[in-house]
Each structure stands twice: as C-alpha cells, then as structure tokens.
Amino acid sequence: MNERLAIVGGGAIACGLAATAAHCGTVLLLTRSEHSAKRAGATVARTLTKLGTDIDPARIQIANGDCDLAGATFIVEAIVEAYEAKEELLAKLAKLTSEDTVLATTTSSLSVERLAEASGAPHRFVGLHVFNPVPKMNLVELVLPSRASASTRSRAAALCETLGKTAVIVPDIPGFVVNRLLFPYLFSAVHLLEETGVEPRAIDECMKLGAGHPMGPLALLDLVGLDVAEAIGGEIGASLPPMLPTMIAKGALGRKAGKGFYDYEERGAQQGSGAQQERGAQQERGAQQGSGAQQGSGAQQASRAR
C-alpha cells in the first residue's frame, strides 16, 4: 500500500475498513476513548477471524485520544453521521496534518462539498462511501468536491483499487446513488407492513423469491440499523414510516440490538428470513453490492474512477 493509512472511528465501518486495509499493510485506527479502543480491538479481531485470514491483528495499531498523525498520508473519518461532529473533527485533522495528507469522509448521505469546506482543506478532501460489511462489499461511492486537486482524486481512486474495491464516481447529492434509490424502497416495505399487518418474513420472502433479491427489505433494514436508516431517510427527504421512530424509541434497532423486525436473541427467529442467519455472509455480499445496505449493481453501472 503506497499510503500510510489512518482511520478515525471505532464503529462497524471504521473497524471493517481497518480489517480490509490490514491485508495491504499496517493501519492506524484512532478511537475517542480507551473503552472504544478496547471494543474496536475486539471487533477487528473478530472480523479477521470471520474472514479466515492469517493477517496478524497487530497490523492494526489502535490508539485513543490525541495521537501523532504526522506519519499518515491518507486519513479517513468514520464517525457518527452528523454534520457538527464531522465538521469539528475534520477541521482538527486538517490542522494536525501536512498539505500532502489526503482527508476523506465515509459519510453515506451528508454533503461532501460542505464537509470539504468545513475542513479548511477542500483541495485535499474526498468522500469515500464504503459499505457495510466493508471486507465483503466491493463498491465505494467516490464523491469528489469541486476544489479537490487532481492528485487528491487520483490518490483516492488508487487507494480504493489497492483495497480491492471498485470506485464509482457519484454526484454529491443526498444519499448519492445507492442510498437515494435504496431507502425509499426499504421504507415502502415498512409502509406495507403498517398498512396490511403482513408478517415481515412474508414480505422478505416475496422480494427474495419473486424479485431475486438476496436479502429482503426488512432484514436489510435490521442489518443497516433502524436508527441509521432513519438518519439517512431524513437526509434524502424520504417518507419515513411512523413505525420506525416507535421501534427506535423502544431500542429495537435491528441486529446490533438483538431485535428489530426480527428477534435475533432467539435462534429460530434469527433464521426467520429464509435461513437468514446461516446464509448471512452470502446475503450481505449480494445485498450490499451497494449499501448501508445495497443494490450495488445499479451504482456500479456508473463510470468507474480509475
């Protein structure tokens, strides 16, 4: 890997990206606290084990708080999906790094142009929207702010290629391509559930068997996280089903919380969407060839960034 990569964040995207990059060299994963660092370390180790690789977890150097980033040449921000938090962090990173360091955000729905300007270094800024789970999803939506230099653009595309990803240049609009098309569809499944009372399993099986989707829309929302889905829906101006905030208020956020449209704390229910749990890896790979979930094939028809 030509770049010395640093990733700021401790969630699924940050850890997944770190595990992916570890195949190419050492990576710095910077979290906000000691607790976050320990949790991220466990997540990374678990991810590498699931991938069945012989990559030494020590390739991923995990630190917390302020850390010397002078050696990093490419820094990826992967924190909470909120303008205020991202803008504050990106402005700080720009001041801590040299003019040769590329800054990137993994935002899935926020304006990359706005974040680039907020950083104070728009000429060395890009959007790299990777998809969860990062090690398995091939697509990266590459968003290029207007003031990004030619060097920044080529280095971002080169990094994606090094990581084994297909970079597709997409417009800087809310939700970019994948989420802009995907989430209205996902929410329509919830509206149907509200209107008819049909079982989630029935909706998901119909879309899998009738439309050839590897994962049903409700199981996919559970995978993405209902709170994340609500935030993305708000950004793209989608019609949010009333059921969604009600479930979120009850803590039913999907897989990560053990309960969403399906109950993942009961093994039988985990397999509710047509052996969903056992075939999770295959379903996630197909369902997210684009997304916080995803119909990546549509996005991949756009021009590739090389």
Side-chain angles (χ1 to χ4, degrees), residues 36-61:
S36 296
K38 290 180 179 179
R39 185 176 58 191
T43 299
V44 166
R46 194 162 54 244
T47 300
L48 291 175
T49 298
K50 285 182 179 179
L51 292 174
T53 67
D54 57 358
I55 300 298
D56 185 352
R59 276 195 176 188
I60 303 173
Q61 302 166 359

Side-chain angles (χ1 to χ4, degrees), residues 78-290:
I79 65 170
V80 63
E81 192 77 346
Y83 275 118
E84 183 177 356
K86 287 183 182 291
E87 289 174 344
E88 180 180 353
L89 173 61
L90 290 166
K92 181 179 180 180
L93 291 175
K95 293 177 181 178
L96 292 173
T97 54
S98 74
E99 279 294 307
D100 294 328
T101 302
V102 174
L103 301 177
T105 177
T106 59
T107 182
S108 59
S109 59
L110 303 180
S111 168
V112 172
E113 190 77 36
R114 172 174 166 175
L115 294 175
E117 293 298 328
S119 74
H123 57 291
R124 53 187 179 103
F125 194 95
V126 295
L128 292 179
H129 179 209
V130 296
F131 295 90
N132 186 35
V134 182
K136 296 177 181 177
M137 299 304 108
N138 293 328
L139 178 67
V140 176
E141 288 184 316
L142 181 57
V143 190
L144 304 172
S146 59
R147 294 171 63 184
S149 68
S151 173
T152 296
R153 295 167 186 243
S154 63
R155 286 171 63 186
L159 177 63
C160 292
E161 185 172 2
T162 297
L163 297 178
K165 307 300 182 186
T166 298
V168 178
I169 297 176
V170 298
D172 187 15
I173 57 176
F176 311 133
V177 172
V178 173
N179 286 346
R180 191 177 181 91
L181 298 178
L182 177 65
F183 278 85
Y185 154 68
L186 299 182
F187 294 150
S188 71
V190 184
H191 282 301
L192 181 63
L193 182 67
E194 292 173 328
E195 294 168 5
T196 66
V198 65
E199 288 292 321
R201 182 188 301 184
I203 293 175
D204 282 351
E205 287 297 299
C206 283
M207 294 310 298
K208 288 194 297 178
L209 301 178
H213 293 186
M215 179 178 279
L218 301 177
L220 192 48
L221 279 170
D222 275 356
L223 174 63
V224 174
L226 303 193
D227 53 339
V228 175
E230 182 184 48
I232 292 173
E235 285 296 327
I236 67 175
S239 174
L240 294 175
M243 187 177 187
L244 214 59
T246 301
M247 293 178 66
I248 292 171
K250 293 180 179 179
L253 304 180
R255 283 194 187 185
K256 62 186 176 184
K259 186 175 179 61
F261 291 103
Y262 296 94
D263 188 344
Y264 298 93
E265 293 177 347
E266 297 179 9
R267 188 168 183 81
Q270 285 182 318
Q271 299 171 346
S273 184
Q276 169 188 337
Q277 183 73 2
E278 294 179 6
R279 296 184 304 169
Q282 293 178 348
Q283 292 173 338
E284 291 166 9
R285 183 180 303 113
Q288 296 191 356
Q289 295 280 336

